[in-house]
Amino acid sequence: MICVSPVSCIFVRKKRPDMEKDAKIYVAGHRGLVGSAIWNNLEQKGYTNLIGKTRDELDLLNDTAVDRFFDEYKPDYVFLAAAYVGGIMANNTYRADFIYRNLNIQNNVIGRSFQYGVKKLLFLGSTCIYPRDAEQPIREDALLTGSLEYTNEPYAIAKIAGLKMCESFNLQYGTDYIAVMPTNLYGPNDNFDLEKSHVLPAMIRKVYLAKCLWENDFTAIRKDLNKRPVEGITGEVKDREIISLLEKYGIATSGVKLWGTGRPLREFLWSEEMADACVYIMEHVSFKDLKSGSGEVRNCHINIGTGKDISIGDLARLIVKTIGYRGDLSFDASKPDGTMRKLTDVTKLHSLGWHHRIEIDEGVEKIYQWYIEK
């Protein structure tokens, strides 16, 4: 028996991995930051029958297409890593898209998993499901105890619905659907779109472009824009148009300006480690291991994180140092900060036998090298 909070304990026993090496495993969203990391981890561990479909090949918003896919492939296990995601600006701007698309993806994949007898499913949510003012570090039982952060409320509600859908299917039908809530992730195949990316990859790209602008290296800037256009603009336009575009995102010859005050604290986890935790959970943990006590069953999801945080300002200064940028760094306090602190309590995850290894300074160096190489 392992106690993970003052009021609950879980039972964990060492056992052989649940998944067979030749089992049909569907990774929904296998090209994204999360899904690609899970796919690679499964391959490295010897799983030989992986199924992945691009968005063009399978639209997860289309119920008929999802039904046809499950009927044809009949996967044994499912990792639901597909989602419509973005940073604070995207979440606050495209509120309808974030709740509508994510609810539909979840409904279609979880519903068809049940209909076609999937043995086990892992649903990936986000720690934004927790109340804005939750006690830190945030335990799993903080869910639904307070108001959500306004800027990402639609996305959070969709993820809460997915978590509760897994829990409800388990309780009514005896399925084995596990929900995990990763902290802020970064790593290979991250989204560096200046309009929609999360905070860490956005800062990596902004500081990199600011360095190029500081050094008057328009060749590097054009190469970057050709690879990842901003608002449809590539590096084929004139210098003055590039300068005007970058200024819109706080990147100028005088320095780089980031959103908010820089004071909020955030926790970051290397995506490949998140993937390792997810595969470990699918191999060794079942829903019955996560139920505790008697009566009402709630909060059986698992936080995945490091249990450590860093201020946005300190992260920005770490990125500046890593990239070698010598210009000015400032913050625009007129822009929203979001939740001031969001640190996960990873006691349950540790009790299940998994710990992170990559710290933020090593991770920033790794993601910057990946970005410039790609």
Side-chain angles (χ1 to χ4, degrees), residues 50-188:
L50 307 185
I51 306 167
K53 295 291 180 180
T54 65
R55 189 176 305 169
D56 290 337
E57 293 170 331
L58 175 60
D59 180 3
L60 295 178
L61 294 171
N62 185 325
D63 179 66
T64 302
V66 176
D67 181 75
R68 188 182 305 117
F69 165 80
F70 273 86
D71 184 49
E72 178 179 352
Y73 288 92
K74 295 181 175 60
D76 300 305
Y77 300 92
V78 171
F79 287 83
L80 179 42
Y84 184 69
V85 299
I88 187 172
M89 181 167 67
N91 270 273
N92 201 30
T93 303
Y94 306 108
R95 299 176 72 86
D97 290 343
F98 272 86
I99 191 167
Y100 175 81
R101 294 186 184 189
N102 284 298
L103 284 173
N104 274 275
I105 290 170
Q106 296 162 193
N107 289 344
N108 290 338
V109 175
I110 296 174
R112 289 301 179 263
S113 293
F114 173 70
Q115 181 180 344
Y116 286 92
V118 165
K119 296 178 182 179
K120 197 170 185 178
L121 176 145
L122 188 86
F123 169 73
L124 287 104
S126 165
T127 52
C128 73
I129 65 168
Y130 294 117
R132 176 188 174 94
D133 300 318
E135 181 180 348
Q136 305 289 321
I138 309 172
R139 296 187 336 207
E140 285 86 353
D141 58 12
L143 181 66
L144 298 177
T145 60
S147 299
L148 299 167
E149 160 60 33
Y150 177 77
T151 53
N152 58 26
E153 185 179 67
Y155 180 75
I157 289 174
K159 289 300 179 180
I160 292 170
L163 180 161
K164 288 297 180 182
M165 187 180 301
C166 291
E167 184 180 279
S168 299
F169 268 97
N170 292 339
L171 293 174
Q172 183 173 347
Y173 294 110
T175 52
D176 199 1
Y177 302 164
I178 298 175
V180 296
M181 301 298 128
T183 189
N184 300 290
L185 302 173
Y186 67 107

Side-chain angles (χ1 to χ4, degrees), residues 186 200 203-204 207-208 258 262 266 268 309-325 329 331 358-368:
Y186 67 107
L200 194 152
M203 287 199 292
I204 290 281
V207 174
Y208 170 71
L258 304 176
R266 289 292 181 270
F268 295 95
D309 55 13
I310 183 174
S311 74
I312 295 299
D314 284 344
L315 175 63
R317 286 180 279 273
L318 174 61
I319 290 171
V320 164
K321 179 181 177 182
T322 301
I323 292 177
Y325 174 56
L329 170 69
F331 292 87
I358 297 175
E359 303 296 351
I360 188 65
D361 53 348
E362 179 186 354
V364 166
E365 176 66 33
K366 286 167 68 73
I367 190 59
Y368 175 57

